[in-house]
Amino acid sequence: MYTKIFKQLGLIAVSGLLMTSCVKEEDLVQVNPNEQSEESFWQTDEDALKGVNSIYGSMMIDGTYMRSTQMLLDLKDDGTRSNSPWAAMANIGKFNSSIADEAIYGWTYRDFYQGIFRANQVFDNIEDIEFEDGALKNRILGQAHFLRGLYMFHMVNFFRNVPIPLSNETLVHEQKTQEEGWAQVISDLQAAADLLPTTYDNVSGLDQGDTGRATKGAALAYLGKAQLFNHDFSSARDTFKQVIDLGIYALVPNYADNFTTANENNSESIFEIQFSRDAGGVDLSWGSVPVASWSRTTARAITYAPRNFGWTDAQPTWALFNDFMSERTVDDQQDPRLNVTIAWNDPAGYQLYGHEFSEFYAANAADLNDLFINKYQNSDGSRADEYDWRSGINERLMRYADVLLMYAETLNETGATGEAYTYIQMVRDRVNLPNLQDVKPGMSQAEMRDQIAHERFLEFALEGHRFDDIRRWGWLEDATKLAWLQSRDSEFETYVPGREYFPLPQSEVDNNPGMNQNPGY
C-alpha cells in the first residue's frame, strides 16, 4: 500500500525555497485565485496527511535520493573511484568540489531544505486543524519530526555549519554551529521516537496499513546514529538496544535480498525510500515545483551501472575487492557479498544483464579486467540496461545489520569489547564467515575498532556509510591512517583539511548576511 503515500505528492507545492533574499516577503506573495493557496489548504486531517506525504516526496528528486545524495555519500571513500567525464561528479572523490560550480552538492543543499520547508509547513499549520483522530495527528507530527531530523542530519553531515529553520514564518535563517545542528537532529529524532508506532498495520485511520512510513524503530535507529556520530557512546548503546529489543527486525538469509525490487520492505529494512516504476508518470523528477507526470524512480542504477549498461560514473576500488578476498567462508568459498556488490570477471562465471561478463567484455581488455558496481543494479537479466534512467529499486537507508554493528561499536567503546563479538557474528553468520571468537579471540579495544571498521566496509560497501565512518573515527587527522587510505585510493592524496565537508553554495553565502563559507574553500 506504499503508493498511497505518493499519490498526492504533487499536490502540495513549496511556496518558497529557503534560499534567502533581501526582497520583502510580502512583495513575493501573489495569489492565483484559481489555485488553492497554503492558507486555504490546511483544513482537515486528510490535508495534514497529504502535507506529511509531500515531505517524503523530497526524497525522490535529483538533489536527494534520486541521484545526488548517493554520490556525495559514496565517492569520497576508499571503496569507490570516479572517472566521470562530468567534473562536478569526478571532483567529489578528489575532495575538489568547486564553489564556482554548485552542481550536485548545491542541488542537495537546495532539495534537503525543500524537505525541511515542507516539514515546517506541517508544524506551522497542524495546530489549526481539528482532528477527528488524535492518534493520527501524533503520527503525522512524528513523521514530520523524523523527516526533518533526517534531512537536517544530512545537512550538518555534508555542510557542517548551516541554518536550522524551524518555521516558515521567515525565509531568512542565520547560520548555526554544527553542534547546534546536531542538537536539533537529536531533538527531532527523539520527538519522532516518542510519537511514532512500531508499525502501521495495527493503527486505525487514514494511514492504516501503509508501508514505507517512518516508524519508532527508524527514529530510534537514526537517533542512535546521531548520538554515535557525536561520540555519545553510552546513549547510542542504550538507543540501539531499544531497537533490538523491539523484536521486530531480523537479518534476511540472503544478503542480495536487500538490494532488489522483489524483496523490498523485508524484515531487515528499518527505513527505505519507496521507489516504483509503477507509481507516478515517466518524467524524471529533476527538481523545482512537482508535477503529476514525475516518476517515482531513482537514477542510482544508471549512474553507477557497469560500462555499456549505464554511465559508469562510479566504480569499486581494488582495495574493496581485495578486502572481500581476504577471508574465506567456513566451506572455503569467497564472501558471497562480493558478487552482490561488484561485477567482475569471476573465473566461476558472472551473469550481468543476461550476458556472461567474460563474453560481453571479451573485445575490450581494459573492461574485461576492471571492476564495476552491481549493488542496486537491475542486473538479473530482467532488463537489458539502465538507459531509461528509471530504476524502481527501493533505497534501503537503514538496515538492521547497521544497528547490530553500530551497537557492537558502542559496546566496544564503553568497555564491553567481549560482548561486541556476539553482534558482529550475527552479521558474519549470514554470509557463512568463521566465528570471530575462534579466529581473533581476545581482541583489545583498539583491535576491535579496526575489526568493526573492516566488517562495516564489506557489509555496507556503496551504501553511503564508509566516508562518514572514516571522518567520525578521526582517520583524516591520523597521519598513519591517512597514509593507509592514500595507499588504497589515490584520490585521498588530494585531501586537505576542511575538504571532508562540501562547500556551502556560494549563492547562499552571498545572499544570507552573516553566512561564512566552510574552511578550506
Side-chain angles (χ1 to χ4, degrees):
M1 296 180 65
Y2 67 81
T3 54
K4 286 174 60 180
I5 299 177
F6 303 116
K7 286 193 293 186
Q8 302 295 340
L9 286 180
L11 296 183
I12 300 179
V14 177
S15 61
L17 294 178
L18 290 172
M19 299 299 182
T20 56
S21 171
C22 60
V23 178
K24 292 182 179 180
E25 293 173 44
E26 55 266 29
D27 296 337
L28 300 176
V29 179
Q30 297 184 28
V31 178
N32 183 342
N34 298 314
E35 293 183 358
Q36 191 171 40
S37 68
E38 182 178 351
E39 288 72 20
S40 66
F41 174 78
W42 302 90
Q43 303 296 321
T44 67
D45 47 6
E46 185 175 0
D47 295 336
L49 189 63
K50 291 175 182 177
V52 84
N53 288 352
S54 76
I55 315 174
Y56 288 94
S58 292
M59 290 182 165
M60 296 183 153
I61 50 181
D62 191 22
T64 59
Y65 276 98
M66 175 191 163
R67 180 178 61 157
S68 297
T69 293
Q70 293 95 323
M71 305 298 292
L72 299 189
L73 287 169
D74 281 335
L75 285 186
K76 284 186 175 182
D77 73 45
D78 56 332
T80 56
R81 55 197 164 101
S82 178
N83 293 309
S84 174
W86 186 10
M89 194 172 287
N91 283 338
I92 295 171
K94 298 177 176 64
F95 301 92
N96 197 31
S97 295
S98 171
I99 61 172
D101 182 0
E102 298 179 3
I104 305 180
Y105 74 83
W107 306 337
T108 295
Y109 187 97
R110 173 198 68 197
D111 291 346
F112 277 124
Y113 270 131
Q114 179 202 77
I116 292 168
F117 183 98
R118 292 178 176 184
N120 288 340
Q121 279 189 316
V122 173
F123 292 121
D124 287 348
N125 292 283
I126 196 169
E127 296 304 327
D128 295 330
I129 297 175
E130 292 187 11
F131 275 78
E132 297 179 10
D133 182 351
L136 174 63
K137 177 181 179 180
N138 284 340
R139 294 194 296 274
I140 288 173
L141 284 170
Q143 290 171 83
H145 276 295
F146 173 80
L147 293 167
R148 186 173 70 179
L150 174 60
Y151 297 163
M152 187 56 67
F153 184 109
H154 285 304
M155 294 306 297
V156 297
N157 202 38
F158 282 142
F159 299 105
R160 196 172 187 176
N161 301 326
V162 295
I164 309 174
L166 302 180
S167 171
N168 295 338
E169 292 181 359
T170 177
L171 295 182
V172 178
H173 301 273
E174 65 177 319
Q175 187 178 28
K176 299 290 188 178
T177 66
Q178 190 174 39
E179 291 73 21
E180 290 173 302
W182 280 122
Q184 183 57 47
V185 169
I186 289 170
S187 175
D188 268 327
L189 293 173
Q190 183 62 69
D194 293 340
L195 290 165
L196 290 171
T198 56
T199 176
Y200 290 80
D201 291 340
N202 302 319
V203 305
S204 61
L206 297 171
D207 55 351
Q208 183 180 30
D210 283 357
T211 300
R213 294 190 183 277
T215 62
K216 180 182 289 291
L220 287 171
Y222 270 100
L223 174 61
K225 185 173 181 177
Q227 292 164 336
L228 179 64
F229 275 39
N230 284 272
H231 301 150
D232 184 358
F233 298 116
S234 58
S235 294
R237 175 199 60 204
D238 296 345
T239 303
F240 291 136
K241 189 60 163 60
Q242 288 184 67
V243 180
I244 295 169
D245 288 347
L246 289 174
I248 59 176
Y249 302 111
L251 301 181
V252 293
N254 183 5
Y255 178 75
D257 284 350
N258 289 303
F259 316 106
T260 65
T261 55
N263 297 284
E264 294 169 341
N265 302 299
N266 59 46
S267 63
E268 187 169 341
S269 177
I270 297 178
F271 187 68
E272 63 187 77
I273 302 175
Q274 308 292 310
F275 291 113
S276 173
R277 287 176 62 86
D278 299 322
V282 296
D283 294 338
L284 299 180
S285 47
W286 297 117
S288 189
V289 178
V291 294
S293 63
W294 278 9
S295 69
R296 304 290 179 242
T297 53
T298 167
R300 172 198 264 271
I302 187 173
T303 303
Y304 284 30
R307 192 100 60 218
N308 298 320
F309 297 104
W311 302 132
T312 323
D313 285 315
Q315 292 180 252
T317 62
W318 284 98
L320 176 61
F321 178 85
N322 291 335
D323 278 15
F324 270 122
M325 299 294 281
S326 66
E327 187 174 21
R328 306 286 286 184
T329 65
V330 294
D331 52 354
D332 197 33
Q333 303 296 310
Q334 69 189 26
D335 189 325
R337 294 173 298 188
L338 168 60
N339 283 10
V340 174
T341 306
I342 297 176
W344 65 292
N345 189 16
D346 187 346
Y350 197 107
Q351 288 289 313
L352 192 63
Y353 292 90
H355 301 274
E356 180 61 39
F357 188 106
S358 60
E359 296 175 1
F360 187 80
Y361 293 118
N364 187 322
D367 286 346
L368 182 65
N369 296 294
D370 209 346
L371 305 175
F372 301 104
I373 293 171
N374 186 49
K375 186 175 280 188
Y376 280 117
Q377 297 293 314
N378 299 279
S379 59
D380 59 1
S382 59
R383 295 180 61 187
D385 53 51
E386 303 291 349
Y387 284 119
D388 72 349
W389 289 80
R390 298 176 59 246
S391 174
I393 301 175
N394 284 3
E395 188 86 19
R396 278 71 159 183
L397 296 193
M398 178 65 71
R399 296 199 280 117
Y400 188 51
D402 198 6
V403 169
L404 293 175
L405 290 184
M406 288 191 290
Y407 182 57
E409 184 176 344
T410 62
L411 289 173
N412 185 51
E413 295 300 332
T414 54
T417 300
E419 296 178 36
Y421 278 97
T422 299
Y423 297 92
I424 296 171
Q425 194 58 44
M426 292 170 68
V427 177
R428 289 171 62 87
D429 282 344
R430 193 230 311 259
V431 290
N432 207 27
L433 291 179
N435 192 313
L436 198 58
Q437 285 274 24
D438 296 334
V439 295
K440 292 187 177 181
M443 280 189 283
S444 67
Q445 186 183 57
E447 290 170 333
M448 181 61 82
R449 284 192 190 112
D450 285 343
Q451 184 65 37
I452 290 172
H454 170 75
E455 302 290 345
R456 291 185 61 80
F457 187 44
L458 300 187
E459 177 69 20
F460 306 117
L462 301 159
E463 293 182 55
H465 297 287
R466 177 64 169 183
F467 183 73
D468 283 350
D469 288 343
I470 287 170
R471 183 174 55 197
R472 68 184 178 84
W473 289 330
W475 286 8
L476 298 173
E477 293 77 45
D478 183 322
T480 301
K481 287 291 190 183
L482 181 57
W484 180 73
L485 290 169
Q486 291 169 341
S487 71
R488 293 161 60 82
D489 181 357
S490 61
E491 291 178 327
F492 276 91
E493 295 174 2
T494 55
Y495 166 75
V496 294
R499 293 298 179 104
E500 62 270 29
Y501 296 100
F502 290 96
L504 297 167
Q506 191 60 39
S507 57
E508 179 76 354
V509 175
D510 293 341
N511 293 329
N512 192 344
M515 284 281 284
N516 295 309
Q517 184 56 267
N518 281 330
Y521 291 96

